[in-house]
Amino acid sequence: MTQNTAEAGVDAGPGNGSMVVAENVHKSFGRLEVLRGIDLEVTRGEVCCVVGPSGSGKSTFLRCINHLEKISAGRLWVDGELMGYRQRAGKLYELHDAQVARQRRGIGMVFQNFNLFPHMTVLGNVMEAPVRVQRLPRSQARERALELLDRVGLAEKASGYPRQLSGGQQQRVAIARALAMRPELMLFDEPTSALDPELVGEVLDVMKGLAEEGMTMVVVTHEMGFAREVGDTLVFMDEGVVVESGAPRSVLADPQHERTRSFLSKVL
Ligand code: ADP
Ligand code: MG
């Protein structure tokens, strides 16, 4: 701990290079222990792909990162901030909802089922958070939204409604909507799993573009091609722990654990 943070009475978090640091993260729902000690570090600009069997805790872990779920034990930092807590002199104090909401603003999340607001236009969906949460003037929010829609190739759909779009288009709008808050970190929970196969590529292309621009991303996916090509790290989770992780090519070509081998033999 440096002198300055000691004086401020706030314990130092992990170093600057890390966007996400999970340290022995546990999560239980009642008696069901879903996360059993996750250790993971995602550095700035890294694309971390997370794979594993259904029920292994991948979605729960993503939800813990942005504090949609409260962890049961361990520590979780995003961008140097302890999520949901303030740590002083070794003790943890829970943050208020408004403080958690502020922490969460720097984190964009994209879900399997798009979750767009059905009664709002595409443009309205993308403008919503900047206007409501950030209090950005509507004209600026509109400009930002149109730029983002252009970037995901949907500028001409701005006045349409989600139901008029294909699944792939809806998911691209959902990505634009998450980006509208200018996040430092993007979380993707099986973003292409609900799509017809011919629509998967257009969503992965947008994600690849984001990665190339240097966005830090944690991507839960079954798309091993994407993991191999775009991922910097591949993390294999099973039964609430990280079984192994490493460069995607080496994990895929030469898995070190029997559980990883068995999983990969089913999905590759
Ligand atoms: P994955 O995304 O890897 O398929 P999940 O994180 O969705 O796994 O779920 C892991 C386990 O946690 C499952 O057994 C699931 O039923 C359980 N679970 C997830 N969310 C809840 C919840 N809110 N309440 C109770 N159990 C839950
Ligand atoms: Mg899941």
Side-chain angles (χ1 to χ4, degrees):
M1 196 190 292
T2 66
Q3 188 96 37
N4 283 341
T5 50
E7 274 166 14
V10 178
D11 295 354
N16 275 338
S18 312
M19 181 60 78
V20 180
V21 176
E23 209 178 82
N24 197 23
V25 166
H26 288 252
K27 174 67 188 176
S28 298
F29 295 106
R31 281 197 208 138
L32 179 67
E33 194 179 23
V34 173
L35 302 181
R36 306 161 185 245
I38 300 271
D39 289 300
L40 186 73
E41 181 171 351
V42 182
T43 56
R44 253 166 228 288
E46 179 179 334
V47 177
C48 172
C49 293
V50 180
V51 303
S54 177
S56 56
K58 304 180 298 294
S59 296
T60 302
F61 179 59
L62 277 194
R63 292 167 59 79
C64 286
I65 293 178
N66 65 4
H67 206 63
L68 283 174
E69 299 286 357
K70 220 183 256 189
I71 65 180
S72 313
R75 298 268 205 282
L76 213 159
W77 289 267
V78 174
D79 204 9
E81 284 197 37
L82 200 56
M83 288 303 290
Y85 299 91
R86 162 177 289 248
Q87 186 172 330
R88 259 171 192 275
K91 278 195 182 165
L92 290 186
Y93 300 89
E94 260 187 76
L95 295 181
H96 301 298
D97 289 352
Q99 295 169 306
V100 174
R102 187 189 53 73
Q103 287 186 325
R104 218 178 259 149
R105 269 183 222 173
I107 307 173
M109 186 149 183
V110 174
F111 303 89
Q112 185 173 336
N113 291 311
F114 332 133
N115 294 1
L116 295 176
F117 307 119
H119 58 289
M120 284 184 193
T121 63
V122 163
L123 185 68
N125 267 275
V126 182
M127 286 173 61
E128 171 70 8
V131 168
R132 274 246 188 146
V133 181
Q134 253 176 0
R135 306 268 173 223
L136 200 67
R138 291 191 72 82
S139 59
Q140 278 180 42
R142 168 187 292 267
E143 202 177 315
R144 186 188 290 184
L146 286 170
E147 261 172 46
L148 286 167
L149 286 172
D150 190 43
R151 179 158 154 199
V152 301
L154 289 171
E156 80 284 6
K157 299 287 184 188
S159 58
Y161 283 85
R163 66 173 178 279
Q164 299 167 322
L165 305 183
S166 72
Q169 291 171 332
Q170 289 187 54
Q171 194 60 302
R172 286 186 281 149
V173 174
I175 294 171
R177 183 178 62 176
L179 292 174
M181 290 295 280
R182 306 236 160 116
E184 299 263 332
L185 168 68
M186 285 284 287
L187 307 176
F188 293 87
D189 195 357
E190 300 200 29
T192 60
S193 294
L195 299 177
D196 291 334
E198 74 272 22
L199 304 178
V200 167
E202 66 192 57
V203 172
L204 295 180
D205 283 347
V206 167
M207 293 167 61
K208 189 177 168 193
L210 263 183
E212 282 165 356
E213 288 164 28
M215 179 64 79
T216 312
M217 299 165 48
V218 182
V219 184
V220 174
T221 186
H222 297 300
E223 295 292 332
M224 296 301 166
F226 177 86
R228 184 188 285 114
E229 196 194 336
V230 181
D232 297 300
T233 328
L234 183 64
V235 171
F236 173 65
M237 264 180 75
D238 194 16
E239 298 183 356
V241 296
V242 172
V243 174
E244 70 179 282
S245 66
R249 276 166 210 280
S250 46
V251 174
L252 291 170
D254 185 24
Q256 299 299 300
H257 291 262
E258 177 48 38
R259 282 198 274 173
T260 319
R261 277 195 283 276
S262 155
F263 174 77
L264 291 177
S265 72
K266 288 175 204 146
V267 297
L268 285 177

